[in-house]
Amino acid sequence: MIDWNKNPWKTLSEEKIYENPWISVTEHQVINPGGGKGIYGTVHFKNLAIGILALDDEANTWLVGQYRYPLDQYSWEIPEGGGAHGTDPLESAKRELLEETGISANSWSEIQHMHLSNSVSDELGIIYLARDLSFGESSPEETEQLTIKKLPFNEAYDMVMNGDITDSLSVAAILKAKVLNLIP
């Protein structure tokens, strides 16, 4: 019987080969589960990934569009950002929603924890549902050139189903809200 909690990999050595304020990359010399020697590269994220699905009483939501440099393409997403480890993730979610969209919410529910790419990274994402909304001015960061789109939730769901939304936090948030029937 397999012991699911026992790590079948053996680390022989590790070397941090790159680091910046957001990530570090480590190369590990390993013995794999089959007994062979190899290498494994891992990316450590220094922040949590935070996503917010904002819903109003008429079942509208807000997407943020931006050009994503690593993909070399435009992406429609729920409002997202980073939250420092050791900081309350809900406070990070409130900050990101306000910063990117100008929206504040009086009601917050955590709806998902997820690992975003667990074959190479330890990045943890937390998704919140925000309701009872009020509206102000957005103030995106210098690195963000954002388009904000208000649309009925079901249109966002259709965008996931037809592949127009591919961002993992957005896909998970929208599908989870649909499956759990969280839409008014």
Side-chain angles (χ1 to χ4, degrees):
M1 184 163 145
I2 295 175
D3 179 357
W4 300 108
N5 294 312
K6 184 178 181 212
N7 182 355
W9 293 81
K10 181 176 180 185
T11 303
L12 301 173
S13 66
E14 56 186 54
E15 178 185 2
K16 192 175 292 184
I17 58 173
Y18 177 77
E19 184 166 20
N20 67 32
W22 303 278
I23 65 169
S24 63
V25 179
T26 303
E27 181 175 285
H28 306 266
Q29 299 297 320
V30 298
I31 304 291
N32 66 36
K37 284 188 175 182
I39 62 169
Y40 208 112
T42 58
V43 180
H44 166 68
F45 281 79
K46 297 180 180 181
N47 291 302
L48 296 170
I50 305 290
I52 306 99
L53 178 63
L55 288 172
D56 68 15
D57 293 338
E58 288 80 42
N60 293 304
T61 192
W62 283 258
L63 297 179
V64 175
Q66 63 183 306
Y67 195 86
R68 287 296 191 178
Y69 184 85
L71 301 177
D72 195 21
Q73 68 184 46
Y74 202 80
S75 178
W76 285 104
E77 307 162 4
I78 61 174
E80 300 175 354
H85 290 282
T87 300
D88 181 357
L90 178 57
E91 292 307 312
S92 298
K94 290 176 180 180
R95 175 185 42 79
E96 285 295 336
L97 182 62
L98 182 62
E99 178 185 288
E100 291 192 355
T101 66
I103 297 173
S104 298
N106 290 317
S107 175
W108 290 86
S109 305
E110 184 179 308
I111 61 171
Q112 185 72 46
H113 267 79
M114 60 188 284
H115 290 101
L116 301 186
S117 185
N118 65 4
S119 65
V120 295
S121 85
D122 62 357
E123 188 175 23
L124 175 65
I126 302 173
I127 303 170
Y128 292 92
L129 176 64
R131 293 189 180 186
D132 191 11
L133 309 177
S134 55
F135 303 89
E137 292 296 316
S138 64
S139 57
E141 294 177 0
E142 174 187 86
T143 60
E144 298 174 317
Q145 185 178 42
L146 306 178
T147 303
I148 301 166
K149 181 195 292 195
K150 175 184 174 183
L151 69 164
F153 173 83
N154 284 329
E155 285 184 28
Y157 174 74
D158 289 343
M159 290 176 73
V160 168
M161 296 307 291
N162 67 28
D164 292 330
I165 294 176
T166 60
D167 169 71
S168 61
L169 288 175
S170 301
V171 169
I174 291 167
L175 292 180
K176 183 121 186 202
K178 184 74 166 180
V179 168
L180 293 179
N181 208 18
L182 299 175
I183 312 312

